[in-house]
PDB file of all heavy atoms in Angstrom:
ATOM      1  N   THR A 137      77.610   7.976  29.431  1.00  0.00           N
ATOM      2  CA  THR A 137      76.685   8.067  30.574  1.00  0.00           C
ATOM      3  C   THR A 137      76.271   9.501  30.821  1.00  0.00           C
ATOM      4  O   THR A 137      75.150   9.776  31.285  1.00  0.00           O
ATOM      5  CB  THR A 137      77.343   7.453  31.828  1.00  0.00           C
ATOM      6  OG1 THR A 137      78.068   6.290  31.456  1.00  0.00           O
ATOM      7  CG2 THR A 137      76.314   7.095  32.876  1.00  0.00           C
ATOM      8  N   ARG A 138      77.148  10.451  30.606  1.00  0.00           N
ATOM      9  CA  ARG A 138      76.863  11.849  30.835  1.00  0.00           C
ATOM     10  C   ARG A 138      77.282  12.699  29.613  1.00  0.00           C
ATOM     11  O   ARG A 138      78.237  13.470  29.646  1.00  0.00           O
ATOM     12  CB  ARG A 138      77.796  12.331  31.986  1.00  0.00           C
ATOM     13  CG  ARG A 138      77.168  12.349  33.362  1.00  0.00           C
ATOM     14  CD  ARG A 138      76.279  13.577  33.526  1.00  0.00           C
ATOM     15  NE  ARG A 138      75.623  13.512  34.820  1.00  0.00           N
ATOM     16  CZ  ARG A 138      74.633  14.306  35.165  1.00  0.00           C
ATOM     17  NH1 ARG A 138      74.164  15.208  34.321  1.00  0.00           N
ATOM     18  NH2 ARG A 138      74.089  14.219  36.336  1.00  0.00           N
ATOM     19  N   PRO A 139      76.554  12.532  28.500  1.00  0.00           N
ATOM     20  CA  PRO A 139      77.008  13.103  27.263  1.00  0.00           C
ATOM     21  C   PRO A 139      77.205  14.641  27.302  1.00  0.00           C
ATOM     22  O   PRO A 139      78.058  15.161  26.576  1.00  0.00           O
ATOM     23  CB  PRO A 139      75.945  12.776  26.244  1.00  0.00           C
ATOM     24  CG  PRO A 139      74.944  11.931  26.934  1.00  0.00           C
ATOM     25  CD  PRO A 139      75.303  11.816  28.413  1.00  0.00           C
ATOM     26  N   ASP A 140      76.474  15.348  28.174  1.00  0.00           N
ATOM     27  CA  ASP A 140      76.552  16.826  28.189  1.00  0.00           C
ATOM     28  C   ASP A 140      77.676  17.347  29.040  1.00  0.00           C
ATOM     29  O   ASP A 140      77.998  18.556  28.940  1.00  0.00           O
ATOM     30  CB  ASP A 140      75.252  17.412  28.706  1.00  0.00           C
ATOM     31  CG  ASP A 140      74.118  17.095  27.765  1.00  0.00           C
ATOM     32  OD1 ASP A 140      74.373  16.953  26.558  1.00  0.00           O
ATOM     33  OD2 ASP A 140      72.952  17.058  28.219  1.00  0.00           O
ATOM     34  N   ALA A 141      78.254  16.524  29.859  1.00  0.00           N
ATOM     35  CA  ALA A 141      79.296  17.035  30.787  1.00  0.00           C
ATOM     36  C   ALA A 141      80.655  17.155  30.103  1.00  0.00           C
ATOM     37  O   ALA A 141      80.963  16.334  29.225  1.00  0.00           O
ATOM     38  CB  ALA A 141      79.413  16.099  32.004  1.00  0.00           C
ATOM     39  N   ILE A 142      81.403  18.137  30.525  1.00  0.00           N
ATOM     40  CA  ILE A 142      82.799  18.248  30.032  1.00  0.00           C
ATOM     41  C   ILE A 142      83.649  17.349  30.910  1.00  0.00           C
ATOM     42  O   ILE A 142      83.534  17.361  32.132  1.00  0.00           O
ATOM     43  CB  ILE A 142      83.274  19.728  30.095  1.00  0.00           C
ATOM     44  CG1 ILE A 142      82.474  20.528  29.060  1.00  0.00           C
ATOM     45  CG2 ILE A 142      84.784  19.838  29.809  1.00  0.00           C
ATOM     46  CD1 ILE A 142      82.547  22.019  29.224  1.00  0.00           C
ATOM     47  N   ILE A 143      84.538  16.593  30.286  1.00  0.00           N
ATOM     48  CA  ILE A 143      85.431  15.726  31.066  1.00  0.00           C
ATOM     49  C   ILE A 143      86.769  16.454  31.238  1.00  0.00           C
ATOM     50  O   ILE A 143      87.481  16.755  30.298  1.00  0.00           O
ATOM     51  CB  ILE A 143      85.707  14.370  30.354  1.00  0.00           C
ATOM     52  CG1 ILE A 143      84.358  13.682  30.000  1.00  0.00           C
ATOM     53  CG2 ILE A 143      86.575  13.506  31.190  1.00  0.00           C
ATOM     54  CD1 ILE A 143      84.507  12.375  29.280  1.00  0.00           C
ATOM     55  N   LYS A 144      87.012  16.747  32.547  1.00  0.00           N
ATOM     56  CA  LYS A 144      88.343  17.341  32.898  1.00  0.00           C
ATOM     57  C   LYS A 144      89.077  16.241  33.602  1.00  0.00           C
ATOM     58  O   LYS A 144      88.683  15.873  34.697  1.00  0.00           O
ATOM     59  CB  LYS A 144      88.095  18.558  33.802  1.00  0.00           C
ATOM     60  CG  LYS A 144      89.374  19.310  34.093  1.00  0.00           C
ATOM     61  CD  LYS A 144      89.101  20.580  34.900  1.00  0.00           C
ATOM     62  CE  LYS A 144      88.869  20.225  36.331  1.00  0.00           C
ATOM     63  NZ  LYS A 144      88.550  21.337  37.169  1.00  0.00           N
ATOM     64  N   ALA A 145      90.154  15.759  33.008  1.00  0.00           N
ATOM     65  CA  ALA A 145      90.769  14.574  33.580  1.00  0.00           C
ATOM     66  C   ALA A 145      92.257  14.501  33.269  1.00  0.00           C
ATOM     67  O   ALA A 145      92.715  15.099  32.298  1.00  0.00           O
ATOM     68  CB  ALA A 145      90.108  13.301  33.058  1.00  0.00           C
ATOM     69  N   PHE A 146      92.988  13.780  34.127  1.00  0.00           N
ATOM     70  CA  PHE A 146      94.382  13.426  33.949  1.00  0.00           C
ATOM     71  C   PHE A 146      95.330  14.614  34.184  1.00  0.00           C
ATOM     72  O   PHE A 146      95.383  15.533  33.347  1.00  0.00           O
ATOM     73  CB  PHE A 146      94.693  12.816  32.603  1.00  0.00           C
ATOM     74  CG  PHE A 146      93.674  11.716  32.164  1.00  0.00           C
ATOM     75  CD1 PHE A 146      93.217  11.686  30.849  1.00  0.00           C
ATOM     76  CD2 PHE A 146      93.256  10.765  33.049  1.00  0.00           C
ATOM     77  CE1 PHE A 146      92.298  10.715  30.439  1.00  0.00           C
ATOM     78  CE2 PHE A 146      92.346   9.798  32.638  1.00  0.00           C
ATOM     79  CZ  PHE A 146      91.886   9.750  31.356  1.00  0.00           C
ATOM     80  N   THR A 147      96.107  14.545  35.242  1.00  0.00           N
ATOM     81  CA  THR A 147      97.161  15.566  35.425  1.00  0.00           C
ATOM     82  C   THR A 147      98.286  15.328  34.449  1.00  0.00           C
ATOM     83  O   THR A 147      98.327  14.285  33.789  1.00  0.00           O
ATOM     84  CB  THR A 147      97.755  15.462  36.852  1.00  0.00           C
ATOM     85  OG1 THR A 147      98.396  14.183  36.975  1.00  0.00           O
ATOM     86  CG2 THR A 147      96.700  15.633  37.913  1.00  0.00           C
ATOM     87  N   MET A 148      99.206  16.256  34.328  1.00  0.00           N
ATOM     88  CA  MET A 148     100.350  16.089  33.424  1.00  0.00           C
ATOM     89  C   MET A 148     101.132  14.812  33.767  1.00  0.00           C
ATOM     90  O   MET A 148     101.719  14.169  32.877  1.00  0.00           O
ATOM     91  CB  MET A 148     101.314  17.296  33.474  1.00  0.00           C
ATOM     92  CG  MET A 148     100.651  18.632  33.304  1.00  0.00           C
ATOM     93  SD  MET A 148      99.737  18.813  31.777  1.00  0.00           S
ATOM     94  CE  MET A 148      98.797  20.316  32.111  1.00  0.00           C
ATOM     95  N   ILE A 149     101.143  14.475  35.046  1.00  0.00           N
ATOM     96  CA  ILE A 149     101.867  13.253  35.492  1.00  0.00           C
ATOM     97  C   ILE A 149     101.160  12.000  34.924  1.00  0.00           C
ATOM     98  O   ILE A 149     101.782  11.087  34.457  1.00  0.00           O
ATOM     99  CB  ILE A 149     101.902  13.168  37.027  1.00  0.00           C
ATOM    100  CG1 ILE A 149     102.394  14.455  37.658  1.00  0.00           C
ATOM    101  CG2 ILE A 149     102.710  11.979  37.495  1.00  0.00           C
ATOM    102  CD1 ILE A 149     103.833  14.800  37.330  1.00  0.00           C
ATOM    103  N   GLU A 150      99.854  11.995  35.018  1.00  0.00           N
ATOM    104  CA  GLU A 150      99.119  10.880  34.487  1.00  0.00           C
ATOM    105  C   GLU A 150      99.225  10.840  32.949  1.00  0.00           C
ATOM    106  O   GLU A 150      99.392   9.791  32.342  1.00  0.00           O
ATOM    107  CB  GLU A 150      97.606  10.970  34.855  1.00  0.00           C
ATOM    108  CG  GLU A 150      97.357  10.746  36.326  1.00  0.00           C
ATOM    109  CD  GLU A 150      95.940  11.178  36.717  1.00  0.00           C
ATOM    110  OE1 GLU A 150      95.044  10.359  36.627  1.00  0.00           O
ATOM    111  OE2 GLU A 150      95.777  12.360  37.078  1.00  0.00           O
ATOM    112  N   LEU A 151      99.230  12.048  32.329  1.00  0.00           N
ATOM    113  CA  LEU A 151      99.398  12.060  30.851  1.00  0.00           C
ATOM    114  C   LEU A 151     100.723  11.439  30.416  1.00  0.00           C
ATOM    115  O   LEU A 151     100.777  10.764  29.411  1.00  0.00           O
ATOM    116  CB  LEU A 151      99.379  13.507  30.352  1.00  0.00           C
ATOM    117  CG  LEU A 151      98.048  14.114  29.875  1.00  0.00           C
ATOM    118  CD1 LEU A 151      98.265  15.450  29.223  1.00  0.00           C
ATOM    119  CD2 LEU A 151      97.314  13.171  28.944  1.00  0.00           C
ATOM    120  N   GLU A 152     101.736  11.670  31.238  1.00  0.00           N
ATOM    121  CA  GLU A 152     103.071  11.062  30.860  1.00  0.00           C
ATOM    122  C   GLU A 152     102.949   9.550  30.827  1.00  0.00           C
ATOM    123  O   GLU A 152     103.437   8.905  29.926  1.00  0.00           O
ATOM    124  CB  GLU A 152     104.102  11.506  31.907  1.00  0.00           C
ATOM    125  CG  GLU A 152     105.486  10.972  31.606  1.00  0.00           C
ATOM    126  CD  GLU A 152     106.456  10.968  32.809  1.00  0.00           C
ATOM    127  OE1 GLU A 152     105.956  10.738  33.940  1.00  0.00           O
ATOM    128  OE2 GLU A 152     107.618  11.162  32.628  1.00  0.00           O
TER     129      GLU A 152
END
Side-chain angles (χ1 to χ4, degrees):
T137 320
R138 262 283 177 191
D140 294 333
I142 292 164
I143 305 178
K144 185 175 79 181
F146 313 138
T147 64
M148 306 304 165
I149 309 295
E150 292 167 88
L151 266 190
E152 183 200 32

